[in-house]
Amino acid sequence: MNAALWVTAVRISTIPAIMALVLVDTETAHWWAAALYGAAAATDSLDGYLARSRGQVTVAGAFLDPLADKLLVSGALLCLVELGDVPAWITMVIITREFAVTGLRLVAVTEDLIIPAGSLGKAKAFSQNIAIVAAIAPHPWTAANDPLMYLAVVLTILSGAYYFVMAHRRLFARKSPDTEVGGDP
């Protein structure tokens, strides 16, 4: 296992601990959860840097890195919904976008296309992580939680729409075999 995959594996392994600390629902546990979540989220940049700088980009890493991010965000949000700290609709918007973009990327792979993360997707991830840390952290930061979470939702929707628009010409605008043979347009 190369260094980048090791960092990704560590990120994945922190998810149960973060979820447990959030669900303990004490101030001390939440500070620990916020710190652990922040550290885990920060490793997303580290594993990508390690893979690229060492020439160790792998298929496993390309699959596990975004999966780790989605599991980290989803796990934390589900716990926050359970505690009543984040509305379920926000969590559903974020998780639905993640599944939709992942599905789009899987379709693209079958067409030998790569849909890389863009700057809007990176801004989305950053805003989600900041909003989640603010939601997990005890009361001193909760006043900022709503605007941060709403910004994360807006960037989540915009980045998801951007990926679909970006992929539209390359994936969906191609003529299907039925159309080329004389089927309905």
Side-chain angles (χ1 to χ4, degrees):
M1 177 182 296
N2 66 39
L5 284 172
W6 185 84
V7 170
T8 301
V10 168
R11 183 162 70 253
I12 292 170
S13 71
T14 64
I15 296 167
I18 292 166
M19 292 177 73
L21 287 167
V22 170
L23 291 173
V24 167
D25 201 21
T26 67
E27 190 170 310
T28 301
H30 277 220
W31 279 121
W32 280 105
L36 188 55
Y37 183 96
T43 66
D44 182 31
S45 296
L46 177 61
D47 59 6
Y49 169 77
L50 289 172
R52 288 185 300 278
S53 69
R54 296 177 178 196
Q56 297 176 334
V57 175
T58 65
V59 173
F63 173 75
L64 289 174
D65 177 53
L67 178 64
D69 300 337
K70 288 164 184 37
L71 291 172
L72 180 66
V73 167
S74 298
L77 285 173
L78 290 171
C79 290
L80 291 166
V81 167
E82 174 70 20
L83 296 176
D85 293 340
V86 172
W89 73 266
I90 287 177
T91 298
M92 281 308 303
V93 166
I94 291 172
I95 291 174
T96 299
R97 181 263 186 215
E98 298 304 335
F99 275 109
V101 171
T102 298
L104 177 66
R105 284 188 166 133
L106 291 173
V107 169
V109 165
T110 66
E111 298 292 325
D112 294 325
L113 298 173
I114 301 296
I115 300 176
S119 57
L120 194 55
K122 291 177 183 180
K124 177 266 317 176
F126 182 76
S127 70
Q128 285 177 356
N129 288 328
I130 294 298
I132 290 169
V133 167
I136 293 172
H139 300 290
W141 290 2
T142 55
N145 185 42
D146 285 348
L148 291 172
M149 198 60 73
Y150 292 137
L151 175 62
V153 169
V154 168
L155 289 174
T156 295
I157 293 167
L158 290 176
S159 67
Y162 172 78
Y163 284 115
F164 276 89
V165 168
M166 182 174 68
H168 183 267
R169 281 192 193 144
R170 300 175 81 190
L171 290 174
F172 303 114
R174 294 181 182 182
K175 292 184 178 180
S176 71
D178 291 338
T179 303
E180 292 174 357
V181 178
D184 292 329

